[in-house]
């Protein structure tokens, strides 16, 4: 009787866990990329920029970023891992402060109507980012 009860409890737990909606997140396989190194290198940053602007070839990381960027903007990065959210803030702040022309062109391409800039403006201000 105890074995049957234990089996039933395990079965209920398995069904509960598998039926629970998981918060899906973007892949974290590129979370180990050294973003600081990219931001310090005009060559590396330029390559990512060219990838995003369809002006050059993409690394696997760049291709993934390019593919996910529209969804991340539309969903307010709700599927981003904590690390991806931190990196996003760092990159945006860097581009705004140090590469305004690059930021302007990326914004024009990925947010031509200014919807996301106005939507995220208040949040950006909290983090010291001018958009």
């Amino acid at each position: 009787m105890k074995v049957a009860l234990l089996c039933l409890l395990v079965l209920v737990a398995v069904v509960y866990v598998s039926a629970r909606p998981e918060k899906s997140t973007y892949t974290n396989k590129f979370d180990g990329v050294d973003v600081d190194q990219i931001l310090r290198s005009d060559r590396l940053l330029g390559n990512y920029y060219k990838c995003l602007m369809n002006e050059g070839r993409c690394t696997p990381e760049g291709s993934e970023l390019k593919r996910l960027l529209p969804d991340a903007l539309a969903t307010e990065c709700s599927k981003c891992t904590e690390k991806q959210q931190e990196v996003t803030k760092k990159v945006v702040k860097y581009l705004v402060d140090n590469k305004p022309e690059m930021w302007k062109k990326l914004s024009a391409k990925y947010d031509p109507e200014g919807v996301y800039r106005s939507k995220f403006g208040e949040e950006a201000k909290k983090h010291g980012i001018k958009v």
Side-chain angles (χ1 to χ4, degrees), residues 24-46:
S24 64
T25 57
Y26 301 129
T27 182
N28 65 354
K29 68 181 176 181
F30 299 118
D31 282 7
V33 171
D34 187 350
V35 174
D36 291 320
Q37 179 185 13
I38 294 167
L39 296 177
R40 285 190 305 265
S41 169
D42 285 338
R43 181 185 61 80
L44 290 174
L45 183 59

Side-chain angles (χ1 to χ4, degrees), residues 12-31:
V12 168
V14 167
V15 168
Y16 173 75
V17 168
S18 63
R20 249 184 16 196
E22 295 285 328
K23 180 187 173 200
S24 64
T25 57
Y26 301 129
T27 182
N28 65 354
K29 68 181 176 181
F30 299 118
D31 282 7

Side-chain angles (χ1 to χ4, degrees), residues 3 7 15 19 23 40 42 60-61 65-66 73 87 93 100 104 109 126 128:
V3 172
C7 288
V15 168
K23 180 187 173 200
R40 285 190 305 265
D42 285 338
E61 299 92 345
L65 174 61
K66 187 173 163 179
L73 287 170
V87 167
K93 181 166 178 25
K104 184 178 174 182
K109 178 174 178 68
K126 291 179 193 174

Side-chain angles (χ1 to χ4, degrees), residues 30 32-35 37-39 41-66 69 91 95 102 106 109-110:
F30 299 118
V33 171
D34 187 350
V35 174
Q37 179 185 13
I38 294 167
L39 296 177
S41 169
D42 285 338
R43 181 185 61 80
L44 290 174
L45 183 59
N47 288 341
Y48 278 95
Y49 172 78
K50 288 176 185 174
C51 166
L52 290 172
M53 297 299 291
N54 297 320
E55 297 173 356
R57 295 193 320 195
C58 296
T59 62
E61 299 92 345
S63 293
E64 188 75 2
L65 174 61
K66 187 173 163 179
L69 188 56
V91 170
L95 291 175
M102 200 178 271
L106 285 166
K109 178 174 178 68
Y110 288 95

